[in-house]
């Protein structure tokens, strides 16, 4: 093989190697390009994954922050709800209980205003109303049972007190006892009257009737009889200004009027000192009713007590619970209110007493009044008599003094009546009693004052005569 052949062969081999190398290089380049593309795609995918992961991380952070804020809101709402429930239990419900006893106690509202309108706020507001309804229903049931038990007990006690009163009165009239024993019987009778008044008042408040049936009774006797039921009756001064002495109260209303007057006079005696008098006046009004005024010189009533008393005596409250009358219950005004509602009386109390205390006025309407025949049923000697207005006596004309003749210019013409004289036209000052009036006339015109000592002496003489007469009778029967 020649040199050129070898060279050509070497060049061919070299060309082949170069071709193979170029091929391999191109293949490697393609491989690198493919790998670069793949790596770029992977890098982009990695970037996308990284970005997605970062977004997810941000979303997770936002979700975590949102969850934390929601958790804080829930915790705050739960804390507010717990505070509201605690406020309801510790403040609102106890205040509601006090408000049910006395309406002037306020009931606080919700603690947190931002709960208004929510379901929890509606439920919390509905709870006091439900509790109030349940408590009132239970209180009415308990109060009705207590009133029924007290009404039964008072009716039995009232019947026994009437029987005891009848026995004491029988003992006073049957036996000729010494004055000391008679005084003891009178004191026992008065104590029984006081006990009977308290029992009667309780029965009326509990729905019972007054328990005593009367005939038509004089108004003055009703008031004086009511005062005799009280301790301290000697401090009551009754003055009658009735125009007629035969005015009475119909039988069905006589005892209710007496109970009302007794309770008002008892209140006046209780709220004034023992050395102060209580003035009671009887007045007949122009519309035909009779008003009984009771004035005391006590310390008066507070505005709250006055409002409470007016509400009770008005008779507008259909149901008065015993629990609302205090401990122990003050039943006087409640009994008056029930009688006012049942019999149509009108009672008012005010702080306008002329003595600085309280004035109470009982108005008995015309349909509860009647006229009583004084000859058939004379009034009691202990009842206050109407005050007689003094009569002015006319001064008699001097004897022999001629009547003044009318002047010609003033002489009446035909068909005209005589004109009055100047003396008749002008008002004349006259004495209350004429100079010729006798002391007997003045004594007859003046009202006869009541003398307790004289009355007591008369009764003592009567008792002594009765005792001596019975002793003689007993000795004759013995012989």
């Amino acid at each position: 093989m020649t040199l050129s052949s070898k060279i050509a062969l070497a060049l061919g081999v070299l060309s082949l190697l170069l071709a193979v190398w170029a091929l391999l290089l191109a293949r490697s380049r393609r491989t690198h390009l493919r790998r670069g593309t793949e790596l770029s795609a992977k890098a982009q995918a990695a970037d996308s994954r990284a970005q997605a992961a970062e977004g997810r991380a941000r979303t997770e952070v936002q979700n975590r922050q949102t969850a934390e804020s929601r958790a804080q809101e829930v915790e705050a709402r739960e804390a507010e709800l717990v505070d509201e429930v605690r406020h309801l239990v510790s403040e609102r419900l106890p205040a509601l209980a006090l408000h049910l006893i006395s309406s002037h106690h306020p009931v606080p509202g919700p603690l947190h205003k931002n709960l208004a309108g929510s379901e929890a706020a509606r439920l919390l507001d509905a709870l006091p109303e439900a509790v109030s309804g349940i408590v009132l229903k239970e209180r009415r049931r308990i109060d009705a049972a207590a009133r029924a038990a007290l009404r039964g007990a008072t009716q039995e006690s009232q019947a026994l007190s009437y029987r005891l009163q009848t026995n004491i009165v029988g003992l006073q009239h049957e036996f000729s006892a010494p004055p000391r024993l008679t005084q003891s019987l009178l004191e026992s009778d008065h104590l029984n009257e006081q006990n009977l008044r308290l029992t009667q008042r309780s029965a009326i408040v509990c729905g019972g009737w007054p328990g005593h049936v009367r005939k038509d009774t004089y108004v003055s006797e009703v008031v004086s009889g009511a005062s005799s039921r009280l301790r301290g009756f000697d401090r009551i001064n009754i003055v009658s200004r009735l125009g007629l002495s035969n005015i009475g109260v119909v039988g069905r209303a006589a005892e209710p009027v007496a109970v009302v007057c007794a309770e008002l006079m008892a209140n006046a005696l209780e709220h004034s000192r023992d050395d102060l008098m209580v003035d009671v006046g009887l007045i007949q009004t122009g519309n035909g009713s009779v008003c009984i005024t009771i004035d005391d010189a006590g310390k008066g009533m507070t505005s709250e007590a006055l409002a409470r008393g007016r509400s009770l005596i008005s008779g507008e409250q259909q149901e008065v619970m015993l629990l609302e009358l205090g401990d122990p219950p003050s039943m006087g005004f409640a009994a008056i209110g029930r009688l006012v509602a049942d019999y149509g009386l009108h009672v008012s109390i005010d702080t306008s007493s002329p003595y600085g205390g309280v004035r109470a006025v009982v108005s008995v309407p015309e349909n509860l009044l009647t006229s009583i025949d004084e000859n058939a049923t004379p009034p009691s000697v202990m009842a206050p008599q109407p005050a007689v207005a003094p009569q002015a006596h006319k001064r008699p004309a001097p004897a022999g003094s001629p009547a003044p003749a009318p002047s010609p210019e003033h002489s009446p013409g035909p068909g005209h009546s005589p004109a009055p004289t100047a003396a008749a036209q002008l008002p004349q000052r006259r004495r209350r009693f004429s100079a010729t009036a006798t002391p007997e006339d003045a004594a007859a015109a003046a009202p006869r004052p009541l003398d307790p000592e004289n009355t007591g002496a008369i009764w003592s003489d009567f008792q002594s005569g009765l005792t001596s007469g019975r002793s003689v009778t007993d000795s004759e029967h013995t012989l």
Side-chain angles (χ1 to χ4, degrees):
M1 178 178 296
T2 60
L3 181 58
S4 56
S5 299
K6 292 180 179 180
I7 294 172
L9 181 62
L11 291 172
V13 172
L14 181 59
S15 298
L16 181 63
L17 289 174
L18 288 173
V20 171
W21 182 79
L23 181 62
L24 292 176
L25 184 61
R27 186 177 180 181
S28 175
R29 183 178 178 182
R30 287 194 299 271
T31 302
H32 286 294
L33 288 175
R34 187 171 61 251
R35 287 180 179 177
T37 303
E38 291 177 355
L39 289 176
S40 177
K42 289 181 179 180
Q44 291 178 356
D47 291 340
S48 299
R49 288 195 296 272
Q51 292 177 358
E54 184 178 358
R56 287 194 298 272
R58 286 196 300 268
T59 304
E60 290 178 358
V61 171
Q62 292 177 356
N63 293 336
R64 186 166 56 251
Q65 293 177 352
T66 303
E68 290 178 355
S69 61
R70 290 181 178 177
Q72 292 177 357
E73 291 178 0
V74 170
E75 290 178 357
R77 182 66 63 88
E78 182 180 0
E80 290 179 355
L81 188 59
V82 170
D83 291 342
E84 194 67 42
V85 173
R86 185 182 296 111
H87 176 66
L88 175 67
V89 174
S90 61
E91 298 293 336
R92 298 179 66 183
L93 292 181
L96 177 64
L98 293 176
H99 181 76
L100 294 178
I101 297 174
S102 181
S103 59
H104 71 276
H105 289 282
V107 179
L111 186 62
H112 298 284
K113 304 299 182 182
N114 55 352
L115 293 178
S118 63
E119 184 66 21
R122 286 192 293 270
L123 292 175
L124 290 175
D125 291 337
L127 182 60
E129 297 180 1
V131 171
S132 176
I134 295 172
V135 170
L136 287 177
K137 184 177 179 180
E138 188 66 15
R139 284 178 61 187
R140 290 191 182 97
R141 186 186 68 82
I142 296 174
D143 196 81
R147 281 190 282 113
L150 185 58
R151 182 171 58 249
T154 52
Q155 287 177 351
E156 294 181 1
S157 177
Q158 195 172 1
L160 292 176
S161 296
Y162 280 127
R163 293 177 58 185
L164 177 60
Q165 185 181 31
T166 303
N167 292 338
I168 293 176
V169 172
L171 289 174
Q172 294 176 7
H173 291 82
E174 183 177 357
F175 295 101
S176 57
R180 185 173 181 181
L181 180 57
T182 303
Q183 182 66 23
S184 299
L185 290 175
L186 292 175
E187 292 177 356
S188 300
D189 189 14
H190 190 231
L191 289 175
N192 185 62
E193 283 280 357
Q194 298 178 45
N195 178 66
L196 183 60
R197 182 183 70 85
L198 299 178
T199 305
Q200 186 182 37
R201 179 181 64 184
S202 302
I204 292 173
V205 172
C206 294
W209 66 298
H212 187 60
V213 180
R214 291 190 181 194
K215 299 179 181 180
D216 296 348
T217 311
Y218 293 100
V219 175
S220 57
E221 289 186 3
V222 170
V223 178
S224 60
S227 65
S228 65
R229 306 177 183 182
L230 308 174
R231 184 181 61 182
F233 64 94
D234 53 339
R235 293 167 48 203
I236 297 177
N237 179 33
I238 303 175
V239 178
S240 176
R241 297 183 180 89
L242 299 176
L244 300 175
S245 60
N246 63 342
I247 301 177
V249 183
V250 296
R252 64 184 179 86
E255 186 63 18
V257 173
V259 172
V260 171
C261 293
E263 294 303 325
L264 293 175
M265 287 187 286
N267 185 72
L269 291 173
E270 182 180 356
H271 290 85
S272 58
R273 296 199 313 265
D274 295 340
D275 58 339
L276 298 176
M277 298 294 292
V278 174
D279 287 344
V280 180
L282 310 180
I283 305 173
Q284 187 174 11
T285 63
N287 58 6
S289 63
V290 169
C291 288
I292 304 167
T293 61
I294 302 171
D295 293 307
D296 66 75
K299 57 185 179 182
M301 301 175 64
T302 62
S303 57
E304 180 181 353
L306 188 62
R308 175 65 173 167
R310 288 174 176 172
S311 176
L312 289 175
I313 67 174
S314 64
E316 297 177 355
Q317 292 183 335
Q318 298 297 329
E319 181 181 1
V320 179
M321 296 186 182
L322 296 178
L323 299 175
E324 298 175 354
L325 301 179
D327 185 16
S330 300
M331 300 185 180
F333 284 166
I336 293 174
R338 184 171 289 274
L339 293 176
V340 166
D342 292 343
Y343 293 91
L345 304 173
H346 182 269
V347 181
S348 63
I349 54 176
D350 199 356
T351 56
S352 61
S353 173
Y355 311 112
V358 176
R359 161 167 286 188
V361 180
V362 181
S363 179
V364 184
E366 188 177 6
N367 63 315
L368 299 180
L369 299 176
T370 185
S371 298
I372 303 177
D373 187 0
E374 295 180 322
N375 296 324
T377 308
S380 173
V381 295
M382 301 301 295
Q385 297 299 319
V388 179
Q391 299 179 357
H393 293 266
K394 294 182 178 180
R395 178 182 299 178
S401 59
S407 59
E409 59 184 12
H410 292 91
S411 60
H416 293 80
S417 59
T421 61
Q425 292 178 353
L426 297 178
Q428 300 295 320
R429 178 177 296 178
R430 300 182 182 274
R431 297 180 183 270
R432 186 173 297 272
F433 296 100
S434 62
T436 60
T438 61
E440 289 79 10
D441 296 336
R448 184 180 61 182
L450 297 178
D451 189 356
E453 296 181 358
N454 187 22
T455 304
I458 293 174
W459 279 105
S460 180
D461 295 340
F462 174 76
Q463 186 70 25
S464 301
L466 184 62
T467 303
S468 60
R470 286 179 175 173
S471 61
V472 172
T473 305
D474 294 339
S475 62
E476 290 178 354
H477 283 291
T478 305
L479 295 176

